[in-house]
Amino acid sequence: MAGRGASRLMLTMFTHNRCQLCVDAKEALHHVRKQVPFEITEVDIKKPGNEKWFDEYKYDVPVIHANDEFLLWHRVNIDDTVQKLLAIQKSVK
């Protein structure tokens, strides 16, 4: 996104390897990304060093943050997520 003048959106997806909702969320985010570009990092809450996130989100994955702020959890509604990300982009310009 650099060089395009757009505000950079950084998403973090808190997940673990036995999470079907996480698989569904990744698929939905693929469609969201076609409308609103973003970078995404996945954090496996069950890996060593991620105990803080496990304690916080063990019953709620997937959880997605945008620019280090809570965005959503459980299910990704494509249209709603696009609108939320566009609003975040506007607010940081």
Side-chain angles (χ1 to χ4, degrees), residues 71-82:
L71 179 68
L72 60 91
W73 60 4
H74 302 156
R75 300 194 184 275
V76 176
N77 176 293
I78 294 169
D79 293 332
D80 289 347
T81 304
V82 166

Side-chain angles (χ1 to χ4, degrees), residues 35-54:
Q35 298 177 60
V36 183
F38 58 82
E39 299 295 322
I40 189 164
T41 301
E42 290 185 31
V43 175
D44 184 335
I45 64 169
K46 292 188 175 181
K47 285 195 174 178
N50 292 335
E51 292 82 4
K52 170 189 173 187
W53 299 117
F54 178 80

Side-chain angles (χ1 to χ4, degrees), residues 18-81:
R18 292 182 164 226
C19 172
Q20 183 58 46
L21 285 177
C22 299
V23 172
D24 297 343
K26 288 178 197 178
E27 176 65 24
L29 287 172
H30 173 75
H31 294 287
V32 171
R33 188 184 245 163
K34 291 177 182 177
Q35 298 177 60
V36 183
F38 58 82
E39 299 295 322
I40 189 164
T41 301
E42 290 185 31
V43 175
D44 184 335
I45 64 169
K46 292 188 175 181
K47 285 195 174 178
N50 292 335
E51 292 82 4
K52 170 189 173 187
W53 299 117
F54 178 80
D55 291 344
E56 189 156 346
Y57 295 139
K58 62 187 162 204
Y59 302 119
D60 292 313
V61 291
V63 175
I64 300 169
H65 289 188
N67 294 350
D68 297 322
E69 298 290 331
F70 176 83
L71 179 68
L72 60 91
W73 60 4
H74 302 156
R75 300 194 184 275
V76 176
N77 176 293
I78 294 169
D79 293 332
D80 289 347
T81 304

